[in-house]
Amino acid sequence: MNYRYNRRNFLLAASAVAIATGCQSRSTQSDRQGFVALEWVYAENLLALGIAPKGLADIRGYQQYVNIPTALNSNTTDVGTRQEPSLEAIASLNPQMIFGTQLRHETIYQDLSKIASTKLYNPYPEPGQLDQFQEMEQTFLSIAELTNQRSQGEQVLAQLRDRLSQASKGLSRVSDRPILLGQFLGNTPQLRLFTDNSMAMRILNQMSLRNAWQGQPDRYGFNTVWLEALPAVQKAHFLYIAPENDAEFKKLQNNPIWQGLEFVRENRLTSLGSDTWLFGGPLSAQVIVERVIAALTKKP
Amino acid sequence: MKSVITGIVLLLIVLWVHLTQGQSNSSFETVIGAVFSPDNSEAQNLIRYLLLPRSLIGVLAGIALGIAGTLLQTITRNPLASPTTLGVNSGAYFAVVAGAIFVPQQFAIAPGLFAFAGGLLAAGLVYVIATSVRVTPTRLVLAGVAVSLMLSAFTATLQLVYENETAGLFLWGAGSLVQTDWSGVRSALPQILAGSAIAILFIRLWDVLLLEDQTARSLGVKVQSARFFGVVVAVFLAAIVVSVVGAVGFVGLVAPHLVRLMGVRQHLFLLPGAAVWGAVLVISADVVAQQVATNVSELAAGSVTALIGAPFLIWLARRTSPSEGGAMNDSVGSLQSRSLPGSSLYLPYWGLMTIAIGLLLLALFSGVAFGQIRFSVLDVLQALEGNAFSQQVLFDLRLSRVLVAMLAGASLSVSGLLLQGVIRNPLAGPEIIGITSGAGLFALFVLILIPNAPVSLIPIAAMLGAFTTFAIVCVIAWRDGFDPGRLALVGIAISAFCAAGINLLVVSARLQVAQALVWLSGSTYARSWDELGQLVVFPVVLLPIAWLTARWLDLIALGDDLPKLLGVRLQQARLVLMSIAVMLAAASVATVGTLGFVGLLAPHATRLLVGNYHRQLIPLSALLGAILVVIADTIGRTILAPREIPSGLITAMIGTPYFLWLLWQNRDE
């Protein structure tokens, strides 16, 4: 948890609060104001740009799964589920702009457009086009542009790139083992292993870490597997995210196959915490970076 | 005896295939080595701790479901009874999902307990309603299907609201055999063995229950308590399966039939036979599932059991002679005779109609008035001259979807009424005859295969799906005319087949679960004037035609002979009526998704209010269906605002208690 207290994050948070307050005082003048995010990543992007979103879908879920240095403003209104956000709730906020994702909100694009100008992004580009990291950057800049925070946006991305290259130099001395990045789904014997096209793995790549999992890249950036797939990649260092107190994960630890895996026997197995969001924006990316560094440099 | 031995031989063969497949591709020698001379090698460990438990849990699940299905079929004397049709699976699964969300720690300790409690709750509910005075097979299944639909609606609501917590449960819901160690087998083995032992211990009791109640009583058997005891054993077995591997449907239905087809009648052979064949079915399903699955995602065996089971049921339906398949036909007569015109409320027809119209207007008005934003009555009345915002909310967001809800409700209700009348089966409805799930399957196909397709393609696909499934059902069920029982059986089978296909698509295309669930549960969310325009033609044209043809339905209800004497061409009349029903259902599915249950509920409610004269039934049931969906829409977007609950789930939740109350009210003979 020490990433919270470093100076850069403190400054980032402080400036975010300053700008957010600034926005609010300015906003009373115009009729339409504020932004609504229908997917967590766009709320996170707004926060990174120093803007407190006016409305956000599924705030409870956001608080549980997304942990970034900049906290959500308590004035943010919940507008319902991410899949079926309440159009009325959005309309009553009289927002300036709505950000959503094609996957969920394509079908209501017209209704949303009637309420405010609406921008839908696709975080899962077809293979062969952008990778998910590039898409994240593009979307972030697009939101920065649309919210008149272009320079702040470029600054945040530059910071992220700095951090990545810094981490890359630091980590190349620590280990040259390939990395396995996994997410246990909780209550089910299923494990997501991230493929090279995913945003999370692209971040790790930029930290000079290689992916041990060579599964077929899939649109969402991960393969869903179980224990049978792991012996083939047991030489890796396994970084994982698991829900707290997950019964299936506990059961796994008593399994002789699991116990026999090289990364388990040689203690190359580190949790990144249950609230590391692998599908977020630049701030989530920074959290990933800090936690991966902590995981790989910790003394056993 | 022969059936049991063949079953065992077959089981050994599929088990061998099952063990040597999978991602590790183990050789026969490794398997043998892992069993008889285990060392700690990786290859053997894979077999010992992943593949063997998986096979064994499959065998256990098959045994439990086979026995549970046999017991339920014997007790209810109903060939359609099974843990699935009596609500046990959905009750157990509901408890599992609720437990995993709300009390995860306690749930992790004893998932079996949760499942048993849920299964028992569902079965208890079914039992109480169905047996207030006397168990009749039809009433048991009627109540079972109703309870099942309601509990599935609750489960789906939980899954929608707690999308992330339940993402992992979706595979489980479809029935997956994946095991991590022996803990699943260790907890299931003693319980399933105990349950099976008890079932086999009371073999003579089950044999006696197959006899007439009078005869059984004269043999000194307390029929009611014996049945209750049997239900508890069956529920226990089925619930254990749900808690360990999820809802594996159809095995409990098919396995006993397979054994009976081999000529076995006595439970001494029927129970072990069904157990062994149940195991064969589950393991074969998992073999297929693993063949289909890639290293990208796992496929649930439960989806495959339905894909195997449904065609079997169709074949069974074709084999069944009308008299056998017509086991449930008496119930329409009994349902109708018990509710003569006005018998329930002592109100004249015009009075009922006035009340219904009044209620609909009230529902429409509250639908427009209530929502996330509260408007006063005055606001609504003044909206015409009001500000742009209240106009936008009231007219663009609310009025259009309330009207879509009204038309969809009326269409589905009349569709169900026509189908129930033509097929002469109280369980008939667009969802039972396969229309809704067929439309859903086709629409989902388009959604997945052509991800960039224009949204307008989906209704077309739904329409195509409804007609295709309906045509298939008709072709299969046709044999010198439509036998009502056979048509219903085929419909249920096709329904299950499509439902399994939908599940399979969702799992294998790894669609965002919430996205699929919302659409599949039927949603009036964000339906606007465009959708209204697309839907409106169908009810406006077809409802009056339905009213004009209503007299045929009255004649059909009299049986096959009388209409012929009166010069009515029975098959043609049926075909016309059914085409109207399909078009109405397809139009509403295309607009609001698989909004089930309305077509089953509203007509029943109407019939119990006004009796069985169809000129009266059609307008009133259209009104009741409309009221039901409009209220569902209003509740769905108000109660948890800003979260929306799909209307289909609400119709199930408010419709079922009413339906059950009606069943209970009419229990007196």
Side-chain angles (χ1 to χ4, degrees):
Chain A
M1 290 289 180
N2 49 15
Y3 69 94
R4 272 200 184 153
Y5 305 109
N6 69 37
R7 194 172 38 173
R8 176 173 291 115
N9 281 328
F10 176 77
L11 285 176
L12 197 69
S15 59
V17 172
I19 295 171
T21 341
C23 273
Q24 276 165 351
S25 61
R26 193 183 39 184
S27 57
T28 39
Q29 289 149 19
S30 68
D31 185 25
R32 291 177 175 279
Q33 27 108 354
F35 302 93
V36 170
L38 300 182
E39 180 64 71
W40 300 337
V41 55
Y42 307 125
E44 187 196 314
N45 284 349
L46 288 169
L47 287 170
L49 294 166
I51 302 165
K54 203 173 181 194
L56 168 60
D58 193 3
I59 290 182
R60 200 179 53 88
Y62 176 88
Q63 307 280 25
Q64 189 181 348
Y65 289 93
V66 185
N67 186 352
I68 53 164
T70 317
L72 201 60
N73 192 321
S74 60
N75 296 336
T76 305
T77 309
D78 195 317
V79 296
T81 58
R82 291 180 291 163
Q83 189 58 41
E84 291 196 331
S86 162
L87 296 174
E88 291 183 17
I90 299 169
S92 66
L93 292 174
N94 198 19
Q96 188 181 326
M97 207 164 185
I98 302 166
F99 299 107
T101 159
Q102 277 176 19
L103 188 69
R104 294 179 193 265
H105 309 118
E106 185 116 67
T107 46
I108 53 168
Y109 177 74
Q110 287 198 330
D111 305 85
L112 291 171
S113 300
K114 279 183 206 152
I115 297 169
S117 68
T118 301
K119 186 85 179 131
L120 302 185
Y121 298 101
N122 177 15
Y124 306 109
E126 294 295 321
Q129 299 174 349
L130 300 172
D131 66 47
Q132 290 180 11
F133 186 84
Q134 290 167 327
E135 192 281 337
M136 182 274 280
E137 286 189 312
Q138 268 191 11
T139 299
F140 181 69
L141 281 181
S142 156
I143 290 178
E145 187 94 41
L146 291 165
T147 54
N148 277 325
Q149 302 288 339
R150 177 84 196 190
S151 61
Q152 165 88 10
E154 277 169 356
Q155 209 180 319
V156 171
L157 286 183
Q159 267 177 13
L160 175 62
R161 281 193 211 108
D162 275 0
R163 192 71 191 103
L164 281 168
S165 66
Q166 201 188 341
S168 162
K169 285 177 202 130
L171 283 179
S172 55
R173 286 192 298 266
V174 179
S175 156
D176 56 352
R177 278 193 185 281
I179 297 291
L180 199 57
L181 181 64
Q183 182 188 19
F184 290 91
L185 291 182
N187 281 325
T188 180
Q190 281 185 298
L191 164 71
R192 288 172 175 175
L193 288 181
F194 287 82
T195 50
D196 280 329
N197 60 328
S198 66
M199 185 189 83
M201 194 45 81
R202 289 293 300 128
I203 292 169
L204 266 55
N205 289 161
Q206 291 178 65
M207 297 165 76
S208 303
L209 299 170
R210 276 181 302 124
N211 190 358
W213 179 249
Q214 295 305 323
Q216 202 184 355
D218 175 74
R219 193 172 155 218
Y220 296 109
F222 51 78
N223 296 160
T224 308
V225 299
W226 195 232
L227 204 43
E228 268 187 88
L230 293 180
V233 286
Q234 55 183 324
K235 297 214 178 312
H237 190 120
F238 190 18
L239 302 173
Y240 69 90
I241 292 155
E244 278 162 41
N245 298 317
D246 178 32
E248 283 291 340
F249 187 63
K250 281 184 188 153
K251 250 163 71 177
L252 191 65
Q253 288 159 346
N254 297 324
N255 187 303
I257 306 171
W258 174 262
Q259 288 165 350
L261 289 170
E262 207 177 300
F263 54 68
V264 179
R265 277 189 285 124
E266 299 177 7
N267 199 20
R268 288 195 308 274
L269 175 77
T270 325
S271 164
L272 296 181
S274 64
D275 56 355
T276 304
W277 188 237
L278 299 179
F279 306 92
L283 296 192
S284 279
Q286 288 222 6
V287 171
I288 296 173
V289 175
E290 304 305 337
R291 290 192 175 180
V292 168
I293 292 174
L296 292 181
T297 52
K298 84 166 177 188
K299 299 280 172 282
Chain B
M1 200 63 210
K2 217 170 70 187
S3 64
V4 180
I5 292 168
T6 349
I8 290 176
V9 172
L10 204 59
L11 180 60
L12 289 176
I13 296 172
V14 288
L15 270 177
W16 178 66
V17 177
H18 192 238
L19 277 170
T20 50
Q21 83 178 151
Q23 287 164 27
S24 44
N25 265 330
S26 317
S27 68
F28 184 59
E29 290 78 37
T30 333
V31 176
I32 295 294
V35 179
F36 295 105
S37 58
D39 55 37
N40 222 15
S41 73
E42 207 165 77
Q44 287 200 2
N45 273 349
L46 274 178
I47 293 165
R48 282 170 62 207
Y49 297 102
L50 285 182
L51 302 189
L52 274 178
R54 183 177 185 147
S55 297
L56 210 60
I57 204 79
V59 171
L60 287 173
I63 290 174
L65 290 172
I67 291 180
T70 312
L71 287 186
L72 290 173
Q73 282 169 15
T74 296
I75 289 160
T76 59
R77 281 192 220 127
N78 189 317
L80 295 183
S82 73
T84 321
T85 42
L86 293 187
V88 177
N89 273 355
S90 28
Y93 187 52
F94 169 68
V96 164
V97 172
I101 293 171
F102 297 115
V103 280
Q105 264 104 13
Q106 290 87 326
F107 173 73
I109 298 167
L113 219 58
F114 278 80
F116 184 46
L120 212 57
L121 184 88
L125 203 58
V126 172
Y127 200 80
V128 164
I129 293 152
T131 61
S132 306
V133 164
R134 191 167 81 85
V135 187
T136 68
T138 317
R139 201 176 287 164
L140 200 64
V141 174
L142 261 177
V145 168
V147 167
S148 195
L149 286 167
M150 174 176 72
L151 288 168
S152 311
F154 280 123
T155 311
T157 310
L158 286 180
Q159 284 178 320
L160 281 176
V161 176
Y162 297 90
E163 181 185 347
N164 289 298
E165 288 87 336
T166 54
L169 290 176
F170 199 74
L171 184 72
W172 192 351
S176 162
L177 298 187
V178 183
Q179 296 292 302
T180 304
D181 51 29
W182 288 94
S183 61
V185 175
R186 259 203 309 273
S187 71
L189 185 72
Q191 307 183 64
I192 286 175
L193 284 186
S196 313
I198 292 172
I200 290 180
L201 215 61
F202 288 88
I203 275 170
R204 286 190 50 83
L205 187 65
W206 316 135
D207 279 338
V208 172
L209 282 183
L210 275 182
L211 305 170
E212 287 292 315
D213 283 8
Q214 293 290 327
T215 327
R217 272 197 204 95
S218 67
L219 287 172
V221 173
K222 286 180 183 153
V223 177
Q224 289 298 4
S225 16
R227 282 191 173 137
F228 180 74
F229 170 64
V231 167
V232 170
V233 175
V235 167
F236 176 75
L237 284 170
I240 295 304
V241 175
V242 173
S243 77
V244 187
V245 299
V248 182
F250 260 90
V251 175
L253 187 65
V254 174
H257 280 294
L258 278 177
V259 183
R260 270 196 219 103
L261 279 172
M262 296 168 203
V264 181
R265 286 288 176 274
Q266 285 178 315
H267 285 86
L268 178 61
F269 298 112
L270 191 56
L271 280 177
V276 173
W277 281 93
V280 172
L281 282 174
V282 174
I283 298 294
S284 318
D286 203 41
V287 167
V288 176
Q290 290 194 54
Q291 283 299 325
V292 176
T294 59
N295 73 332
V296 175
S297 77
E298 182 80 32
L299 182 68
S303 307
V304 183
T305 52
L307 288 179
I308 302 173
F312 171 82
L313 189 62
I314 290 172
W315 175 75
L316 184 74
R318 276 183 67 82
R319 272 187 94 256
T320 314
S321 68
S323 54
E324 271 179 65
M328 324 189 295
N329 287 348
D330 63 317
S331 53
V332 154
S334 56
L335 249 172
Q336 286 176 348
S337 64
R338 250 179 280 124
S339 51
L340 296 167
S343 65
S344 296
L345 288 177
Y346 303 105
L347 267 179
Y349 181 66
W350 62 266
L352 283 170
M353 281 297 282
T354 318
I355 292 173
I357 291 172
L359 280 176
L360 178 61
L361 290 175
L362 195 68
L364 286 173
F365 185 78
S366 4
V368 176
F370 297 132
Q372 161 80 12
I373 309 159
R374 299 284 152 86
F375 292 101
S376 72
V377 178
L378 217 62
D379 282 338
V380 179
L381 295 175
Q382 287 174 344
L384 275 172
E385 41 201 275
N387 62 25
F389 175 65
S390 65
Q391 277 190 14
Q392 186 191 12
V393 171
L394 293 174
F395 290 107
D396 277 352
L397 296 182
R398 286 189 193 166
L399 186 61
S400 56
R401 71 182 272 181
V402 164
L403 291 177
V404 166
M406 177 186 85
L407 290 179
S411 307
L412 281 171
S413 174
V414 171
S415 171
L417 182 73
L418 298 184
L419 289 171
Q420 282 167 17
V422 173
I423 301 169
R424 279 188 293 169
N425 188 315
L427 279 179
E431 55 280 87
I432 303 288
I433 226 68
I435 300 172
T436 8
S437 48
L441 181 67
F442 271 57
L444 199 62
F445 246 121
V446 170
L447 215 63
I448 287 169
L449 288 185
I450 324 171
N452 300 320
V455 185
S456 57
L457 207 62
I458 290 170
I460 299 172
M463 199 66 109
L464 199 68
F467 275 97
T468 312
T469 19
F470 179 67
I472 292 173
V473 169
C474 286
V475 167
I476 294 175
W478 178 275
R479 229 174 57 187
D480 312 322
F482 289 119
D483 171 59
R486 195 166 53 225
L487 194 62
L489 265 175
V490 173
I492 289 172
I494 295 274
S495 260
F497 189 80
C498 290
I502 287 171
N503 223 328
L504 203 144
L505 278 181
V506 169
V507 172
S508 61
R510 301 195 309 110
L511 205 66
Q512 292 259 326
V513 173
Q515 187 189 6
L517 273 176
V518 160
W519 202 85
L520 294 174
S521 51
S523 179
T524 41
Y525 172 77
R527 296 297 180 267
S528 60
W529 297 104
D530 295 345
E531 280 95 10
L532 186 72
Q534 165 197 307
L535 170 66
V536 71
V537 189
F538 292 89
V540 162
V541 172
L542 292 173
L543 291 182
I545 299 182
W547 186 79
L548 289 173
T549 54
R551 281 178 52 79
W552 289 343
L553 284 169
D554 295 336
L555 292 172
I556 287 172
L558 298 174
D560 285 0
D561 301 332
L562 206 57
K564 277 178 194 150
L565 279 175
L566 296 169
V568 173
R569 288 187 177 175
L570 212 52
Q571 299 304 357
Q572 276 175 15
R574 281 178 176 158
L575 208 65
V576 171
L577 288 166
M578 284 197 283
S579 305
I580 299 173
V582 174
M583 273 192 277
L584 281 172
S588 62
V589 172
T591 320
V592 296
T594 55
L595 186 78
F597 221 58
V598 181
L600 184 64
L601 274 187
H604 273 284
T606 320
R607 200 171 285 123
L608 288 157
L609 284 173
V610 300
N612 45 20
Y613 182 48
H614 279 88
R615 279 270 159 97
Q616 294 186 342
L617 277 169
I618 285 174
L620 190 61
S621 78
L623 283 170
L624 290 189
I627 294 170
L628 182 63
V629 182
V630 170
I631 291 178
D633 172 64
T634 311
I635 292 178
R637 68 190 143 82
T638 316
I639 200 163
L640 281 183
R643 284 161 188 262
E644 297 241 3
I645 305 172
S647 324
L649 303 181
I650 308 275
T651 52
M653 281 187 250
I654 57 177
T656 309
Y658 175 67
F659 180 64
L660 296 177
W661 179 79
L662 284 175
L663 275 175
W664 190 74
Q665 276 286 298
N666 285 266
R667 69 195 186 280
D668 297 315
E669 296 303 307

